[in-house]
Amino acid sequence: MVREKHPPRRTAFGVTRRRFVQGLIAGGVVAALDLSPWTALTLPAQNRPSVLRGSHFDLAIEEVAVNYTGKTRVATAINGSIPGPELHWREGDTVTIAVTNRLRDTTSIHWHGIRVPAAMDGVPGLSFGGIAPGATFVYRFRVPQHGAYWYHSHSRFQQQTGHYGPLIIHPASDHSTIEYDRDYVILLSDWTDENPETLFSNLKRQSDYYNFHQRTAGTFISDVRKNGLGATISDRLTWGAMNMSPADILDVSGATYTYLLNGRPPAANWTALFNPGERVRLRFINGSSMSIFDVRIPGLPMTVTQADGNDVEPVTVDEFRISVAETYDVIIEPRAASAYTIFAQSEDRTGYARGTLAPRAGMTAPVPPMDPRPLLTMVDMGMGGIPGMKMDGAAKGATMRRGIGTGIEHMPGVKMEAPSPEPSAGAGTSSGETRDMDMADMPGMKMPRAPIAPPPAFAPPATGDARFGTIPFPQPGADTPIFSAPAPTPPPIPPKPIALRAGPEVDNVAIAPTARLAEPGLGLDRNGRRVLTYADLRARYRGADPRPPDREIELHLTGNMERFIWGFDGHKFSTAEPIRLRLGERVRIVLVNDTMMAHPIHLHGLWSELENGHGEHRPYKHTIAVKPGERLSYLVSADTPGRWAFHCHLLYHMEAGMFREAIVS
């Protein structure tokens, strides 16, 4: 039985009422039409975010009414605004943030990418017990770094309803390594009028519920004209045999999402001013729940200077992909007294966020059309390393199937085991799923209230000291102490082989995953623009820890897309074993993406040093996006004790099980 989808009500032109109105307003023709029923779109009900500076902050989490689409909805705001206040801290200061919960549910704030003590990390059930309704919790810690970051709720779906905000940390000295005349934050996000619980339920019932761009008879005919009949039939048979669709790019699309730039839909046209010839710094933050954006400013090249708050060697591009939770700082230098459009289209090309750079208020620039919608290929299925495998998806003779008895287990290099109630060593078990990532209510998750005190000032021991690596290393910078390399050590202990178990939690195994760091990403190849890749990121300064890894930990990103189940190594969080790290050790984490979707992976509390070919100048990141069918690695210094979250930052993937606890002790 085919279940009928229920798309938003559409106009006679075949577009949603929301898209129609937003397009008209963006096109500047509102004055010529009677759009009185939709005037709320041009006058958002929510307050504009404030800018707060200093070392003490009072934040209130509360419900407010908002209107992004012509319908009033209830959102979760911080100090009455979406996004929340733009916080400005200074590196080296001790900050206190008093957070009062005016909601009916427990809430929290996680300081994304900030190296705080575990008790201040803001994850209910791991860091603390959460902030109860009517209660005030005081975060207090020393700020150990600088750069552009953000903060958000780590309680169920509150982030989706508006509970997030930007965070800018200024260097301890007034001298910045980056010269600029103006500085703007560009926070991208996604909004839905639906209750997030309903959205999640829809995905569980039908994972492609929001995908209205499946292939049809019409696309078959166009593919025959382009690729020939034989290749087109082979491609359709291959995908059909796998019971998968090359159109499954993002789980949640513009069918329900309105994409926001600094809390404003495309029609509202958020605008930043400049004078011709100025160097303008734009700090991009992807604070969305499920949306990956491709960002460009037509007519203006962008020079990337920071990634995830850390300095990188400047690289000039026309476009970059920013995954959920990542941040990029860029410098632009507009020469003409013209307006420019900041254009951020979703990876699946179902919508966009938009703003304007202009020398005067009220100016606009043309909004470019979205790029053609991309399709997945066999490389995205994890077959990129098979000799002779075509890159365009017309892979002849591919016989991959889902699960035991359907072909996967017979392919070279694949080890599959029948379902078993017993866990494999170090992999946990797989049954059930947690309803909420608030782990405080789970057995064995009782958390004592940790004392609220700032950590001691950083005082790194010498390389040969037994305490080396047990005190947080500083952020790489011009003044970072460079420790001498230790004596040669044996190669790292390799990880135990992972035997994926076919069953409800695994529907695909990457037969031949490949290194894809030099690829810009799906839909960005050969588009005529210079696009940033992870291989372009070279840290401007060496990191403080010169040690090679002691051991390797390999983790597979797995899932069953049809059932909307996600996890690591075929296991959901609810019964998975923690990842255990010894305080002071150095490890290499290897990630293999066995799914056909990109996953932004975030490790709380510790830096992730991406191994992208730049040796000691590995870029330091807090979130690493893993492409479909990709294998990559990064180094981690386990220098901060505590219970840390390790998860996919696609909100509904995390809630569906792609979450682990990492214990440093």
Side-chain angles (χ1 to χ4, degrees):
M1 182 179 70
V2 178
R3 287 176 296 213
E4 183 181 0
K5 298 180 184 180
H6 302 282
R9 185 160 63 89
R10 296 179 179 271
T11 69
F13 299 103
V15 298
T16 64
R17 178 175 182 253
R18 177 177 72 245
R19 284 284 171 254
F20 178 64
V21 176
Q22 289 181 353
L24 288 176
I25 295 177
V29 298
V30 177
L33 298 173
D34 180 12
L35 298 179
S36 55
W38 298 307
T39 53
L41 286 171
T42 61
L43 297 172
Q46 65 274 17
N47 296 327
R48 293 187 179 184
S50 57
V51 177
L52 303 179
R53 305 174 186 271
S55 58
H56 177 80
F57 304 87
D58 292 298
L59 302 179
I61 315 301
E62 56 196 341
E63 292 184 345
V64 299
V66 298
N67 187 335
Y68 293 113
T69 66
K71 297 178 181 179
T72 300
R73 291 291 185 264
V74 176
T76 306
I78 306 171
N79 287 14
S81 70
I82 298 174
E86 182 179 306
L87 303 183
H88 286 255
W89 301 347
R90 184 169 293 278
E91 180 183 17
D93 285 357
T94 295
V95 296
T96 57
I97 310 100
V99 181
T100 300
N101 183 6
R102 296 176 182 168
L103 304 175
R104 290 166 288 181
D105 301 309
T106 298
T107 192
S108 56
I109 290 183
H110 165 58
W111 314 100
H112 189 101
I114 308 303
R115 307 274 330 266
V116 297
M120 298 288 103
D121 194 48
V123 180
L126 292 184
S127 309
F128 71 147
I131 308 172
T136 297
F137 182 85
V138 179
Y139 293 88
R140 186 168 185 260
F141 49 84
R142 179 177 172 273
V143 180
Q145 63 207 82
H146 62 269
Y149 304 91
W150 64 300
Y151 60 98
H152 60 85
S153 173
H154 229 288
S155 299
R156 195 54 173 175
F157 298 130
Q158 291 175 7
Q159 179 192 334
Q160 177 72 90
T161 59
H163 188 338
Y164 53 84
L167 170 59
I168 306 301
I169 304 177
H170 300 276
S173 65
D174 292 329
H175 176 68
S176 173
T177 57
I178 302 169
E179 296 181 357
Y180 56 92
D181 301 300
R182 294 181 188 248
D183 189 353
Y184 293 107
V185 170
I186 309 293
L187 194 153
L188 303 170
S189 60
D190 44 33
W191 168 266
T192 175
D193 280 350
E194 292 185 81
N195 185 319
E197 296 289 350
T198 301
L199 192 155
F200 189 49
S201 176
N202 290 339
L203 292 173
K204 294 293 289 184
R205 288 192 297 114
Q206 185 176 340
S207 62
D208 62 350
Y209 188 92
Y210 297 101
N211 186 351
F212 296 99
H213 290 81
Q214 301 289 1
R215 297 200 291 190
T216 63
T219 60
F220 178 85
I221 294 172
S222 64
D223 287 348
V224 169
R225 292 171 178 166
K226 178 181 178 182
N227 303 319
L229 180 62
T232 300
I233 291 176
S234 175
D235 179 63
R236 294 301 197 279
L237 290 175
T238 299
W239 286 100
M242 294 185 294
N243 196 23
M244 294 184 178
S245 169
D248 288 336
I249 299 170
L250 294 177
D251 294 305
V252 190
S253 72
T256 188
Y257 272 157
T258 297
Y259 301 106
L260 308 180
L261 189 153
N262 289 342
R264 296 186 174 268
N269 190 27
W270 179 90
T271 300
L273 302 180
F274 68 86
N275 291 319
E278 289 182 327
R279 288 172 57 87
V280 182
R281 183 177 191 172
L282 303 177
R283 304 177 189 255
F284 286 90
I285 301 168
N286 188 346
S288 69
S289 294
M290 293 290 286
S291 302
I292 298 171
F293 293 101
D294 295 327
V295 179
R296 68 183 192 268
I297 306 174
L300 279 181
M302 300 176 288
T303 300
V304 178
T305 57
Q306 284 193 342
D308 287 357
N310 290 283
D311 290 341
V312 295
E313 293 291 352
V315 54
T316 300
V317 299
D318 300 311
E319 186 171 17
F320 62 87
R321 172 160 291 174
I322 183 167
S323 193
V324 177
E326 289 188 302
T327 72
Y328 283 108
D329 284 27
V330 306
I331 296 292
I332 59 169
E333 298 183 66
R335 301 296 183 184
S338 304
Y340 300 89
T341 295
I342 303 171
F343 187 68
Q345 61 182 334
S346 63
E347 182 188 17
D348 63 355
R349 310 303 187 241
T350 60
Y352 60 86
R354 166 250 187 168
T356 297
L357 296 166
R360 299 186 308 277
M363 295 181 67
T364 61
V367 177
M370 287 187 289
D371 289 340
R373 181 178 172 84
L375 292 174
L376 298 166
T377 70
M378 291 298 109
V379 176
D380 300 302
M381 292 299 301
M383 291 188 263
I386 298 177
M389 179 58 64
K390 291 187 177 182
M391 303 291 285
D392 61 1
K396 296 182 180 180
T399 58
M400 187 173 175
R401 302 292 189 273
R402 286 169 135 182
I404 286 290
T406 55
I408 291 180
E409 72 278 15
H410 300 305
M411 297 192 73
V414 179
K415 182 179 179 183
M416 300 283 297
E417 297 181 5
S420 168
E422 297 299 323
S424 59
T429 60
S430 58
S431 62
E433 99 182 56
T434 179
R435 168 176 166 77
D436 198 330
M437 279 301 133
D438 185 339
M439 284 76 72
D441 298 328
M442 295 184 65
M445 285 291 185
K446 293 183 179 179
M447 297 295 297
R449 181 60 57 88
I452 301 174
F458 174 74
T463 308
D465 193 308
R467 296 175 302 140
F468 186 80
T470 64
I471 296 175
F473 287 104
Q475 181 182 31
D479 299 325
T480 301
I482 303 299
F483 299 102
S484 59
T489 58
I493 300 173
K496 295 180 180 179
I498 296 173
L500 293 178
R501 302 172 184 273
E505 282 119 346
V506 178
D507 68 357
N508 183 62
V509 176
I511 306 303
T514 57
R516 307 187 68 180
L517 297 177
E519 299 177 27
L522 183 66
L524 296 177
D525 282 320
R526 298 182 296 276
N527 66 4
R529 300 186 289 268
R530 169 75 166 90
V531 185
L532 183 74
T533 71
Y534 271 0
D536 293 325
L537 300 178
R538 186 179 191 272
R540 190 169 183 180
Y541 307 103
R542 291 169 48 190
D545 190 350
R547 299 173 297 166
D550 303 309
R551 62 186 176 111
E552 296 182 353
I553 299 172
E554 182 171 309
L555 294 166
H556 285 241
L557 314 181
T558 55
N560 185 321
M561 295 180 65
E562 189 171 358
R563 298 186 181 210
F564 205 75
I565 297 173
W566 303 96
F568 291 97
D569 294 346
H571 303 287
K572 295 181 293 186
F573 166 74
S574 52
T575 51
E577 291 294 322
I579 299 168
R580 299 186 180 276
L581 305 177
R582 298 186 307 275
L583 180 63
E585 77 170 324
R586 180 93 155 146
V587 300
R588 170 180 288 121
I589 294 179
V590 179
L591 297 181
V592 179
N593 189 353
D594 285 312
T595 79
M596 52 193 284
M597 285 191 167
H599 298 281
I601 302 300
H602 174 44
L603 173 60
H604 290 219
L606 308 171
W607 285 121
S608 299
E609 304 171 36
L610 180 64
E611 294 188 293
N612 66 346
H614 291 300
E616 293 180 334
H617 289 267
R618 294 176 295 272
Y620 275 49
K621 289 180 61 62
H622 51 61
T623 306
I624 293 178
V626 190
K627 299 179 185 70
E630 182 175 30
R631 178 187 181 94
L632 57 74
S633 64
Y634 53 95
L635 302 182
V636 174
S637 296
D639 58 4
T640 309
R643 302 172 66 184
W644 302 105
F646 179 70
H647 62 90
C648 175
H649 221 288
L650 297 176
L651 181 59
Y652 298 98
H653 286 194
M654 180 181 73
E655 290 291 335
M658 195 172 273
F659 186 105
R660 282 286 182 93
E661 177 185 3
I663 300 176
V664 179
S665 63

